[in-house]
Amino acid sequence: MRADNDVHDEWLWGWDATPGIVSVWADNSGRGTVWRRLGASGALVSESVTFRPWLLLDALHDLQHLGSALGLEGDASTKFTYRELKGSGALRFLVSGPDSQSLTSALFDGASRRLGRSIKHIRDLDENTALMLAPEEQYLVATGRTYFRDLRFNQLRRLQFDLETTGLNATVDRMFMVAFRLPDGELKTIESATNDDKGEAQLIRELIAIIKDADPDVIENHNLHGFDVPFLHTRAQKLRVPLQLGRTSHRNLLTRGSRRGAPSEFDRSRRVRYVAPGRELIDTLDAVRRYDFSARDLPSHGLKAIARHFGFAGPEREYIRGDQIFHTFQTDPARVRRYALDDVIEVEQLARMLGGAAFALARMAPRRYERLADAGAATGVIDPLLVRAYIRAGQALPGFAQGDGTTHTGAALHLFATGAAHRVVKADVASLYPSLMRQYRIGPSRDTLGAMLALVDRLVEQRLAAKTRAKNAEAGSAERYTYEATSAAMKLVVNSAYGYLGAGGSLTRFADVHAANEVTRRGRETLALMCRELAARGVTLLEADTDGVYFAVPESWTEADERRIVAEVAALLPPLVQLEFEGRYAAMLSHEPKNYALLTYSGKLILRGVAFRSSRAEPFGEAFLRKAIAGTLVGDVVGVRDAFMQTISAIRNREMPTHSVSQKVRLTKTSEQYLDVRESRREISYEALLSAGRTRWSIGERVRVYRTQGGGASVVEEIEDAKDAAIRADNRDYDAEYYVRLLRDSFAARLETAYTAEDFETLFSDPRQPSLFTVNIARIHPILTKLSSA
DNA sequence: TCATACCGGGG
DNA sequence: GTGTACGGTATGA
């Protein structure tokens, strides 16, 4: 008998060594195609495969009518065969046939007769009666194959393309340009010769020819599934141009259901994503969302903002506002070409930077790469792994369980003090929930194989190994990249194991709210223990959330003292729960739970939470707030007062550029819709557009608006660079007193916890309303208030 | 005014 | 074929 570790590795990685699979396609005929890229030469081979389509049933009664056509597995004389699986799970018969059409029609005949209603689709049956995977997943589970074995990310042939169109609505707007980055790095654009059906149809044919010629394994773009592919599909349908984007003979794209897809053309209530068999359509927006789900540090999910955030936007990067692109093309087409090529260049870098996790997942889970790129980690990755593990082990799969009404309980959140604190330390437990699951062996009760905990154990162990290998590999090397991506993917799966437990019973087969509650209970217990033991060692607790604590230490302590007490408390926790010294800060402004500012020892200010970060905030207020928080945290109260006075005087003297007082808004009504309701309710955004002479606009457009003297409103051009705003001439007819009030009531108000009420009044008093007292700002000190409730 | 429904992106 | 999260804004009772 083999060691558990070998079995568990098969559950995680599959068991078939076939290398280089870059795409798999199968249908219900029991035939499929596997495309592989050969390591040494990089050549592509396409292999036809056959497999026996299979499904799981709770009983054989719906197939009894087959008589002698149904036999035990291994009986070569019968068309359909079955095998009974071990254990107590509900889905205990693995039935297979030569093709899934005849298999399902036999099943539907029997089920229709038994139930007295017409069963036409597997979803018409109860989920505890039958389980059938997509054809290519049946193939991958049965064979133990996975994508990308022994293949590196940079061995994939990846192509990026980006459509430039006259607008966002594919039923009325047209494509006029396509920018490409070909797999070898070549950049090119193609354009329609004429702005009519003929020109656009020819453009689509050229696009297809270029893709066919480059023959990429993967096609990438930002919002590919939300914009480019659906747009292309609609235009091609309209112009009756065949859209042969894949490697098979299908003359058009196929669809699959997807929560985040485009509305289906046949049933508007269903959302679909398009599929080009043989190629994987990868949307970098999915990778961005998945990344930001845990990182939570992206200013927006738009391509340009992300490229700037990660620092790969070139210095010469061309920017054109979306609604100006076609217009610009007519007068300066070269500029639009540069813009479109910059898009595909950035997409390639973004895909390389964030796409590795999905690439690594595709080496583990029995699903297509493009499905793993947009799947949720719980139902999208863990479920297929568990299903494969059960089939491999010959174990019956459990059915879905009805909840018993128990609700899911959450994590602990404590705010111990508000205001300004100094010498702040953050300590936290890395991957708290999976650690607790492993430490206390908390897994789904119906997982009789123990597959979930076995997978989490293997993932945590192998992730450590992958991290070490990444560290040892040369910086920037493909090897390093692969190990980092593997580590990121493993972290994603490990962290969603807990989410899987807590998901409602209707979503996942193994969901177990009692187990999830046991994890959070242990988590709250662990956090309480950490807080208690830290406080006992003389620190001032500030905020504790789920798995980490911020606290302030006495003035006399050194960094070594800080690390020593974290180590002391860490030693009190169970071995698999590892408390780490996460960072130290010169000061912290604790405002509200999950809303705080940190000042690093190198003088960098970090703002967290909605109170301090808002995309619509007026730039002058943001700038003031940063100065005032920094001043407060270093004890320069005079500097805070100066910043306040200077901001007020710049507003009143109209030295403040209009851009700085404006607010970014997103339009949600069309011009027609607003004009209908204008008389009953006026809204600043639309009034601003009207007064600027604009009578037409579209939903989703973003503009900057401000309040003018006399209660009106106006718009100001969006400017990327703040320095640009200062030198730009504008008429500065903003409502100065409104913005002075906003400065105090909205922005200065976020410093309220750092001062006594009286000092706050003094510090942020209007210089035009002289106080009865002569005030000495210099005597004011920021305060920290301990809260008794925590 | 408060609860709920919907969005995030793309030209 | 199923993301379920998270904060913001828009909309309806």
Side-chain angles (χ1 to χ4, degrees):
Chain A
M1 189 171 163
R2 290 174 306 158
D4 276 357
N5 276 356
D6 292 344
V7 173
H8 297 172
D9 266 347
E10 291 186 349
W11 292 352
L12 187 54
W13 299 103
W15 49 88
D16 184 288
T18 304
I21 295 177
V22 292
S23 197
V24 174
W25 182 252
D27 57 29
N28 53 18
S29 67
R31 287 186 295 271
T33 310
V34 174
W35 289 269
R36 297 198 297 127
R37 208 158 269 293
L38 304 180
S41 63
L44 183 79
V45 291
S46 149
E47 296 162 343
S48 294
V49 296
T50 57
F51 66 104
R52 266 179 87 76
W54 58 270
L55 49 78
L56 291 176
L57 292 177
D58 65 339
L60 292 177
H61 49 218
D62 289 337
L63 295 177
Q64 296 299 0
H65 66 90
L66 289 170
S68 63
L70 176 67
L72 268 172
E73 195 173 284
D75 184 344
S77 68
T78 58
K79 186 176 177 187
F80 301 100
T81 53
Y82 74 93
R83 171 156 66 104
E84 185 166 4
L85 304 175
K86 296 174 288 191
S88 56
L91 293 171
R92 51 189 317 97
F93 294 99
L94 179 71
V95 187
S96 63
D99 63 275
S100 48
Q101 261 160 339
S102 60
L103 182 59
T104 51
S105 69
L107 173 67
F108 298 161
D109 283 352
S112 300
R113 237 170 287 163
R114 175 172 59 90
L115 297 167
R117 61 187 163 92
S118 166
I119 302 294
K120 290 202 180 84
H121 197 275
I122 198 86
R123 66 170 164 254
D124 297 332
L125 288 168
D126 185 73
E127 57 205 1
N128 290 337
T129 298
L131 170 71
M132 189 172 73
L133 305 180
E136 73 278 6
E137 292 179 12
Q138 293 178 35
Y139 172 76
L140 291 170
V141 168
T143 56
R145 292 183 165 190
T146 61
Y147 273 54
F148 305 145
R149 194 168 283 248
D150 302 333
L151 197 76
R152 292 190 310 268
F153 187 75
N154 63 6
Q155 291 176 296
L156 277 180
R157 280 181 68 82
R158 300 158 49 226
L159 175 144
Q160 298 75 29
F161 82 86
D162 187 46
L163 304 186
E164 300 307 326
T165 67
T166 58
L168 293 170
N169 183 349
T171 56
V172 296
D173 297 313
R174 289 186 192 281
M175 302 163 43
F176 65 88
M177 180 190 286
V178 189
F180 295 91
R181 185 192 170 279
L182 302 180
D184 60 6
E186 186 193 338
L187 299 169
K188 77 192 289 176
T189 56
I190 54 174
E191 291 159 30
S192 47
T194 50
N195 188 29
D196 55 16
D197 282 0
K198 200 170 150 231
E200 194 184 18
Q202 182 55 26
L203 183 67
I204 295 174
R205 281 190 285 265
E206 273 180 61
L207 178 152
I208 297 299
I210 286 172
I211 289 175
K212 188 172 182 215
D213 186 53
D215 196 20
D217 306 319
V218 177
I219 296 175
E220 297 165 337
N221 195 17
H222 201 62
N223 205 15
L224 179 72
H225 286 291
F227 180 72
D228 297 82
V229 170
F231 197 106
L232 182 60
H233 170 79
T234 304
R235 297 311 297 165
Q237 291 279 100
K238 202 148 212 139
L239 302 171
R240 300 179 190 285
V241 179
L243 202 54
Q244 201 166 351
L245 213 56
R247 281 169 165 153
T248 54
S249 56
H250 295 94
R251 282 171 62 79
N252 280 301
L253 297 173
L254 307 176
T255 59
R256 62 181 164 102
S258 167
R259 185 71 186 264
R260 280 205 325 264
S264 158
E265 58 189 318
F266 305 111
D267 176 359
R268 302 290 298 177
S269 66
R270 286 177 67 89
R271 290 183 163 269
V272 298
R273 284 191 174 203
Y274 291 96
V275 177
R279 303 194 207 282
E280 307 287 318
L281 303 181
I282 299 292
D283 190 336
T284 48
L285 181 57
D286 292 321
V288 163
R289 290 203 242 238
R290 186 179 269 171
Y291 166 86
D292 203 32
F293 187 69
S294 56
R296 301 193 173 283
D297 60 358
L298 295 179
S300 114
H301 292 171
L303 177 64
K304 282 82 173 166
I306 288 162
R308 283 197 296 267
H309 176 83
F310 286 123
F312 58 72
E316 308 280 294
R317 212 292 184 212
E318 190 73 63
Y319 293 104
I320 309 176
R321 244 175 56 190
D323 59 344
Q324 302 285 312
I325 290 169
F326 184 54
H327 178 75
T328 307
F329 178 69
Q330 288 162 317
T331 54
D332 188 358
R335 194 173 154 214
V336 178
R337 286 177 208 128
R338 285 198 303 276
Y339 166 83
L341 288 174
D342 282 340
D343 268 11
V344 290
I345 291 168
E346 286 183 354
V347 162
E348 192 281 325
Q349 296 184 84
L350 179 58
R352 198 150 28 89
M353 177 174 263
L354 297 184
F359 180 81
L361 285 177
R363 292 175 151 176
M364 303 177 207
R367 295 204 130 167
R368 297 188 64 207
Y369 173 43
E370 72 170 29
R371 284 223 48 204
L372 290 163
D374 72 65
T379 50
V381 182
I382 295 179
D383 234 26
L385 289 173
L386 291 173
V387 169
R388 184 177 63 189
Y390 272 70
I391 302 288
R392 179 63 168 168
Q395 190 87 356
L397 266 175
F400 283 70
Q402 293 286 321
D404 60 5
T406 306
T407 54
H408 188 17
T409 51
L413 174 62
H414 306 287
L415 187 63
F416 297 102
T418 59
H422 298 91
R423 292 166 303 280
V424 173
V425 175
K426 168 90 187 287
D428 68 10
V429 176
S431 298
L432 175 67
Y433 287 171
S435 305
L436 294 169
M437 289 171 67
R438 296 182 70 212
Q439 178 70 50
Y440 300 105
R441 308 313 293 170
I442 308 168
S445 60
R446 272 164 298 147
D447 179 12
T448 49
L449 260 189
M452 167 92 87
L453 282 174
L455 285 169
V456 170
D457 282 337
R458 296 307 280 154
L459 284 163
V460 169
E461 290 157 15
Q462 296 188 14
R463 175 162 180 251
L464 285 179
K467 275 173 96 168
T468 309
R469 284 182 182 145
K471 218 168 277 176
N472 294 339
E474 196 185 323
S477 66
E479 212 189 343
R480 171 125 176 203
Y481 177 79
T482 303
Y483 286 123
E484 279 177 355
T486 304
S487 163
M490 289 177 161
K491 184 179 177 184
L492 191 81
V493 179
V494 163
N495 286 339
S496 56
Y498 158 77
Y500 185 113
L501 290 180
S506 62
L507 225 55
T508 52
R509 190 168 293 280
F510 291 95
D512 183 344
V513 71
H514 296 281
N517 285 349
E518 177 63 5
V519 174
T520 46
R521 189 187 69 75
R522 292 279 190 183
R524 292 190 299 271
E525 198 176 83
T526 304
L527 191 70
L529 175 74
M530 279 155 52
C531 291
R532 201 164 56 237
E533 292 296 334
L534 285 167
R537 286 163 176 77
V539 311
T540 304
L541 297 172
L542 301 170
E543 179 171 329
D545 181 3
T546 314
D547 55 3
V549 192
Y550 285 99
F551 56 91
V553 305
E555 206 162 343
S556 59
W557 286 23
T558 62
E559 182 176 345
D561 292 324
E562 295 168 2
R563 290 186 180 272
R564 183 176 43 78
I565 63 144
V566 172
E568 278 175 24
V569 175
L572 302 173
L573 300 175
L576 293 180
V577 179
Q578 290 173 3
L579 182 67
E580 293 171 353
F581 184 94
E582 205 244 12
R584 57 196 304 266
Y585 305 91
M588 174 172 178
L589 174 69
S590 169
H591 179 62
E592 282 171 4
K594 294 180 190 278
N595 281 273
Y596 50 86
L598 294 164
L599 184 68
T600 68
Y601 281 101
S602 59
K604 205 178 137 211
L605 191 65
I606 300 164
L607 302 178
R608 294 266 162 80
V610 280
F612 297 120
R613 293 167 56 115
S614 163
S615 61
R616 1 175 297 146
E618 295 78 359
F620 84 96
E622 295 257 275
F624 160 75
L625 196 56
R626 290 192 76 89
K627 277 187 226 155
I629 291 172
T632 299
L633 291 180
V634 300
D636 177 16
V637 180
V638 172
V640 175
R641 175 68 176 168
D642 285 349
F644 184 67
M645 303 260 276
Q646 276 164 19
T647 306
I648 287 183
S649 103
I651 295 171
R652 287 192 170 139
N653 297 333
R654 304 193 180 278
E655 289 150 11
M656 188 73 80
T658 307
H659 182 269
S660 298
V661 300
S662 68
Q663 181 187 26
K664 206 184 211 169
V665 296
R666 186 173 176 275
L667 304 179
T668 57
K669 296 186 178 103
T670 63
S671 28
E672 292 80 8
Q673 284 167 336
Y674 181 62
L675 290 176
D676 281 349
V677 297
R678 185 178 182 216
E679 287 318 308
S680 55
R681 178 183 264 186
R682 303 226 157 179
E683 294 176 49
I684 173 176
S685 320
Y686 307 102
E687 290 304 312
L689 286 165
L690 291 171
S691 76
R694 284 193 55 188
T695 51
R696 293 190 60 80
W697 57 82
S698 49
I699 288 180
E701 196 179 326
R702 290 179 185 87
V703 289
R704 296 205 76 99
V705 302
Y706 66 98
R707 285 168 199 266
T708 55
Q709 287 168 295
S714 192
V715 290
V716 62
E717 201 184 321
E718 174 69 297
I719 297 165
E720 299 289 344
D721 188 348
K723 273 173 256 146
D724 244 30
I727 53 171
R728 193 165 300 221
D730 59 62
N731 43 7
R732 302 196 183 172
D733 55 343
Y734 46 79
D735 181 348
E737 290 313 308
Y738 169 81
Y739 288 107
V740 168
R741 282 198 304 279
L742 192 72
L743 179 69
R744 195 194 131 95
D745 298 345
S746 173
F747 291 100
R750 290 167 221 181
L751 289 159
E752 229 164 352
T753 58
Y755 299 96
T756 65
E758 192 186 334
D759 286 348
F760 182 84
E761 288 304 316
T762 307
L763 198 46
F764 300 113
S765 60
D766 190 331
R768 274 200 188 160
Q769 293 165 358
S771 155
L772 294 172
F773 313 99
T774 330
V775 288
N776 181 4
I777 299 292
R779 62 138 192 93
I780 294 178
H781 295 288
I783 56 162
L784 181 72
T785 310
K786 293 188 192 179
L787 307 174
S788 50
S789 59

